[in-house]
Amino acid sequence: MTRTEEFEELRPLLFSIAYRLLGSVSEAEDAVQETWLRYETSLTQPKSTKAFLSATITRISIDVLRSARFQREEYVGPWFPEPLLTDPAQDPARSAELADSVSTAALLLLERLSPLERAVFVLREVFGFGFPEVAATVGRSQAACRQLAVRARRHMDAGRPRFEADRRERERLAARFFDALREGDFEGLRELLAADVSLVGDGGGKAPQFARPVAGAENVTRLLASVFPMLAQVDVTMERREVNGQPGAIFRARHNKVLNTWTLDVLDGQIQTIRAVTNPDKLGHLGPVADAWAINRAVRQARRPGD
């Protein structure tokens, strides 16, 4: 097998590691490319290609993560990871677990860990690497990595997002929600929302976003009832998709341009959280991006009496 073939076989794993560490599709793809360049120019053939490439992409991602920390502290409004439609990591026996580990809620928890804790947790808990491999990857002793893993696991367990255990039930409820939204059945939609549901948006200061999260079933229903019909009037359409392993949708403007994505957290037969990503910098990998400001102006115009 050639180096190119070996690399391509491991590319899905490498991307999946990098995305969980960075929360960014574009940064993860860049890290994969940098890993390939280092592998291609290496003068020796490693004993284990998987170990070498996994270690390389993890170290690259840690460096990127450290450099991005300051930028995220300066971020305008809530920060969400870039929407991921398809996670290339394949393991049928652990498909549900892998999907939950890439959820927006889980990635936000990972964001609170130190870069080393995050790397150890992802390699050990998500992808099942042994401690000798983890230690060699992050340049720490096995004992230190075990301590990092314990701290990371304790933090993740304390805030671990809970989702509807039955994924089919989760999908059925999401389908009812989006159908009610499309049909204007806001009373039916209201019944699907938890009493303390929240609607949160990430515009990054580069697209319209809520001044603060909208909380409570009545407030969320009222907002959707006032805004969604106006979006339909300006030709915004909704395409149901799985986003970050959870039920979601892509909203598109004219010419199929991406306006934003939504993800739903579902638990106990109700929707607990709705997260919208509108920041255009986070949507480009999904296709041409719509001008959210122009659409916002069109919606406001459509809402004026007499128009």
Side-chain angles (χ1 to χ4, degrees):
M1 184 180 292
T2 66
R3 282 196 174 192
T4 301
E5 290 170 337
E6 287 182 315
F7 185 84
E8 290 303 322
E9 187 175 87
L10 290 166
R11 180 188 287 271
L13 172 65
L14 301 178
F15 175 87
S16 296
I17 291 172
Y19 178 77
R20 284 167 172 81
L21 289 173
L22 299 171
S24 166
V25 172
S26 55
E27 288 178 345
E29 290 174 341
D30 288 346
V32 170
Q33 182 62 24
E34 178 63 23
T35 300
W36 161 247
L37 293 175
R38 295 189 188 185
Y39 181 49
E40 182 187 33
T41 57
S42 174
L43 299 178
T44 59
Q45 179 66 27
K47 292 182 179 180
S48 169
T49 302
K50 177 182 177 182
F52 175 84
L53 294 177
S54 299
T56 301
I57 200 160
T58 300
R59 292 165 188 165
I60 290 171
S61 298
I62 288 174
D63 289 343
V64 173
L65 188 62
R66 285 170 171 160
S67 68
R69 283 259 177 223
F70 176 77
Q71 297 173 18
R72 290 179 186 173
E73 288 171 1
E74 297 296 315
Y75 198 80
V76 178
W79 179 92
F80 293 157
E82 290 183 10
L84 182 68
L85 300 187
T86 303
D87 180 13
Q90 297 294 325
D91 186 347
R94 300 176 59 244
S95 59
E97 183 181 350
L98 286 172
D100 287 349
S101 75
V102 83
S103 70
T104 299
L107 292 175
L108 289 175
L109 276 178
L110 281 172
E111 183 73 11
R112 301 176 188 176
L113 303 180
S114 73
L116 281 180
E117 288 173 337
R118 190 167 184 168
V120 169
F121 183 87
V122 168
L123 293 174
R124 175 63 182 170
E125 301 295 330
V126 178
F127 293 103
F129 282 56
F131 277 112
E133 295 174 284
V134 175
T137 295
V138 301
R140 296 291 191 274
S141 68
Q142 290 189 46
C145 287
R146 291 180 187 278
Q147 291 179 339
L148 287 166
V150 168
R151 288 204 300 268
R153 193 183 305 116
R154 184 183 301 124
H155 178 87
M156 294 296 290
D157 287 345
R160 185 178 297 278
R162 295 173 59 220
F163 300 117
E164 190 74 49
D166 187 333
R167 296 186 68 84
R168 288 176 297 181
E169 179 60 28
R170 193 188 309 182
E171 289 297 328
R172 281 195 291 267
L173 190 141
R176 289 173 57 198
F177 171 83
F178 286 119
D179 286 346
L181 193 60
R182 184 183 290 108
E183 296 165 5
D185 179 12
F186 296 105
E187 183 57 36
L189 183 148
R190 163 68 182 82
E191 295 175 357
L192 302 175
L193 303 177
D196 58 349
V197 64
S198 63
L199 172 58
V200 191
D202 172 357
K206 298 183 178 183
Q209 65 187 62
F210 312 117
R212 60 181 62 84
V214 180
E218 294 299 335
N219 291 332
V220 170
T221 302
R222 189 178 304 115
L223 176 67
L224 295 178
S226 64
V227 172
F228 194 78
M230 299 299 102
L231 289 175
Q233 285 189 31
V234 296
D235 298 328
V236 171
T237 59
M238 181 175 61
E239 171 191 339
R240 281 194 59 212
R241 291 291 298 270
E242 184 174 88
V243 182
N244 285 86
Q246 306 301 312
I250 301 176
F251 287 79
R252 297 184 184 274
R254 293 172 182 171
H255 310 297
N256 214 34
K257 292 186 175 181
V258 178
L259 175 61
N260 61 26
T261 63
W262 283 18
T263 56
L264 308 180
D265 288 354
V266 178
L267 178 66
D268 298 332
Q270 293 184 308
I271 294 167
Q272 308 290 326
T273 310
I274 305 169
R275 294 186 177 89
V277 175
T278 310
N279 185 340
D281 293 346
K282 298 184 176 185
L283 301 173
H285 62 286
L286 302 177
V289 180
D291 183 343
W293 293 109
I295 292 173
N296 187 54
R297 289 192 296 271
V299 167
R300 290 178 179 275
Q301 182 69 24
R303 293 176 67 178
R304 290 177 182 173
D307 288 351

